[in-house]
Amino acid sequence: MNETVLLSLPLDSLRSLITEAVTVALDARTPPASEPPPNPDLLSRHEAAKRLHVSLPTLQAMNRRGTLRPMRVAGVRRVLYKAQDVEAALQGRGKR
């Protein structure tokens, strides 16, 4: 059965209780971040394309040709590139 309990609380205490309850509920519903911590040695597809001055389809073509090898990080649904590989590909393009 539902019981009704009446309490006398100061307004600040009531605010604190509500704030704490809402924070706990939101934390429980918020999924953990799947993003890896920022690593200056790893670049996203967009960052790699920007450094190479190419479009995303061109970057994908470079992957297929083997000019640039993407890497996958366990537990992360992103394609990342080593910054040194991008720089090497950039230097290789300039030698043509």
Side-chain angles (χ1 to χ4, degrees):
M1 291 189 148
N2 291 338
E3 294 183 29
T4 302
V5 178
L6 298 176
L7 296 173
S8 176
L9 288 173
L11 186 56
D12 288 339
S13 296
L14 180 59
R15 279 189 185 125
S16 295
L17 287 172
I18 292 171
T19 300
E20 183 179 341
V22 169
T23 301
V24 168
L26 288 176
D27 286 346
R29 294 192 65 185
T30 305
S34 63
E35 295 291 318
N39 183 340
D41 297 331
L42 297 177
L43 303 173
S44 69
R45 291 176 341 128
H46 293 279
E47 292 168 330
K50 185 175 180 179
R51 282 201 189 177
L52 291 167
H53 304 287
V54 298
S55 65
L56 291 176
T58 301
L59 183 67
Q60 190 173 9
M62 292 173 74
N63 295 341
R64 284 193 303 269
R65 287 193 305 261
T67 308
L68 190 62
R69 275 193 356 212
M71 59 179 289
R72 300 204 183 265
V73 178
V76 179
R77 295 181 54 188
R78 292 181 62 190
V79 175
L80 300 172
Y81 297 89
K82 292 181 183 176
Q84 64 189 25
D85 292 348
V86 172
E87 294 302 321
L90 187 59
Q91 297 301 320
R93 279 186 32 211
K95 292 180 183 178
R96 290 181 185 181

